């Protein structure tokens, strides 16, 4: 309805066509929020790209599903987690995380967030993260029925490892004085910048690699230097240990061979990302 002027609305109403015409303009922005399916995440649409939700908001269901009516054709889906959000891949609360995806995406994931924040293409992010051939990060749901089990495992491993990095460095920044929101943004920007650099040089990113995690650590130090409230001396003192801990957790995630993403064994390993944070 943002595209209809007040005069147009009055004319439509006078002609008795207001409700039917407006209804015909409505579309449904729907999909799943996945880092493991996120139950009870808050989802809305940002129409003008300022990072602020402009639409009504809804909570996701147990499968991470959401549906929002809109008249807009261009928007960013924004999903925010809080103390009531459960990451069903681990059964643990997942708070303080913001995930994004462009219009047309049917999943909102850590990978789509990297794409949106880094202005990266499907091909670039798939190449940098080493995703399986044929997997479209904007539509592939590793928890959907009928998908390739091996592809699902590879995609979910990547998502879990991305969030291991972001949550760990964000928690370190919070410990050094940043607010939860500022810490998360700075930590996310750290991995986004490294992914962009890798994409520009057609390289891959290995989130179990000491060298690649060192790149993210260095970028995190740069980001924290301009983040309000952060005691950079305190953050820098913890950065090495944070990177080492992330490497240990991501190596454990990488070791998963069970293609049943909902098994107790898989859930136990995926839960280590929250324990680390």
């Amino acid at each position: 309805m943002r595209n209809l002027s007040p005069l147009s609305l009055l004319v439509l109403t006078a002609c008795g066509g207001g409700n039917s015409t407006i209804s015909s303009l409505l579309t449904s922005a729907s999909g799943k929020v996945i880092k493991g399916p996120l139950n009870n995440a808050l989802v809305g649409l940002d129409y003008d790209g300022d990072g602020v939700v402009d639409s009504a908001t809804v909570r996701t269901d147990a499968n991470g599903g959401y549906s929002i009516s809109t008249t807009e054709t261009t928007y960013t889906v924004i999903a925010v987690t809080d103390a009531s959000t459960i990451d069903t891949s681990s059964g643990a609360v997942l708070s303080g995380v913001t995930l994004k995806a462009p219009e047309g995406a049917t999943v909102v994931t850590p990978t789509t967030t990297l794409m949106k924040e880094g202005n990266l293409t499907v091909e670039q992010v798939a190449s940098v993260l080493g995703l399986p051939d044929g997997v479209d990060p904007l539509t592939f749901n590793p928890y959907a029925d009928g998908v390739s089990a091996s592809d699902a495992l590879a995609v979910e491993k990547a998502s879990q490892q991305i969030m291991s990095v972001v949550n760990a460095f964000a928690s370190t920044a919070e410990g050094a004085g940043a607010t939860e929101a500022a810490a998360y943004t700075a930590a996310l920007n750290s991995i986004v910048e490294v992914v962009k650099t890798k994409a520009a040089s057609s390289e891959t990113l290995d989130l179990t690699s000491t060298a690649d995690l060192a790149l993210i650590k260095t970028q995190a130090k740069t980001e924290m230097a301009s983040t309000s409230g952060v005691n950079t001396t305190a953050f820098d003192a913890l950065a090495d240990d944070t990177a080492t801990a992330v490497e240990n957790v991501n190596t454990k995630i990488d070791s998963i061979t069970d293609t049943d993403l909902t098994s107790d064994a898989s859930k136990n390993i995926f839960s280590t990302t929250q324990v680390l944070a």
Side-chain angles (χ1 to χ4, degrees):
M1 285 181 284
R2 289 160 56 94
N3 294 329
L4 295 177
S5 69
L7 179 59
S8 298
L9 288 172
L10 286 172
V11 170
L12 287 170
T13 302
C15 295
N19 291 335
S20 61
T21 302
I22 293 171
S23 296
S24 70
L25 296 175
L26 287 174
T27 59
S28 177
S30 59
K32 298 286 199 313
V33 182
I34 305 291
K35 182 264 161 196
L38 296 184
N39 182 21
N40 214 39
L42 188 67
V43 184
L45 308 179
D46 170 17
Y47 296 138
D48 53 15
D50 64 354
V52 178
V53 169
D54 300 303
S55 71
T57 56
V58 297
R59 290 278 182 174
T60 55
D61 62 24
N63 297 313
Y66 67 89
S67 182
I68 301 173
S69 295
T70 181
T71 59
E72 301 294 321
T73 56
T74 302
Y75 52 82
T76 298
V77 183
I78 299 180
V80 179
T81 70
D82 56 28
S84 69
T85 305
I86 302 297
D87 176 1
T88 60
S89 71
S90 64
V93 171
L94 182 66
S95 179
V97 167
T98 299
L99 301 176
K100 299 181 180 181
E103 72 278 354
T106 57
V107 291
V108 185
T109 69
T111 303
T112 63
T113 304
L114 292 183
M115 291 178 59
K116 191 64 186 177
E117 297 292 358
N119 195 28
L120 298 164
T121 65
V122 166
E123 293 76 19
Q124 285 175 317
V125 76
S127 176
V128 170
L129 296 179
L131 299 181
D133 291 342
V135 166
D136 183 345
L138 295 175
T139 60
F140 186 84
N141 178 1
Y143 290 85
D145 293 334
V147 299
S148 163
S150 58
D151 286 354
L153 179 59
V155 170
E156 186 61 9
K157 280 183 179 180
S159 290
Q160 297 283 346
Q161 288 177 338
I162 290 167
M163 293 313 302
S164 171
V165 173
V166 175
N167 286 340
F169 279 105
S171 294
T172 301
E174 278 192 73
T179 64
E180 181 180 64
Y184 179 83
T185 297
L188 178 62
N189 286 344
S190 301
I191 189 170
V192 166
E193 290 303 317
V194 172
V195 170
K196 286 168 62 178
T197 300
K198 292 281 189 179
S201 56
S202 299
E203 296 177 350
T204 58
L205 177 66
D206 181 356
L207 292 175
T208 67
S209 160
T210 302
D212 281 353
L213 289 172
L215 295 176
I216 297 171
K217 176 188 68 178
T218 299
Q219 185 63 39
K221 289 181 178 180
T222 299
E223 296 289 338
M224 299 311 166
S226 59
T227 299
S228 178
V230 174
N231 180 327
T232 54
T233 300
F235 180 85
D236 292 353
L238 291 170
D240 287 346
D241 286 344
T242 302
T244 299
V246 169
E247 181 178 345
N248 291 337
V249 169
N250 281 356
T251 299
K252 189 67 175 176
I253 292 171
D254 196 52
S255 72
I256 297 175
T257 57
D258 187 352
T259 55
D260 181 1
L261 298 178
T262 63
S263 71
D264 289 342
S266 297
K267 285 186 173 183
N268 285 339
I269 294 176
F270 289 150
S271 69
T272 58
T273 61
Q274 279 97 321
V275 174
L276 172 60

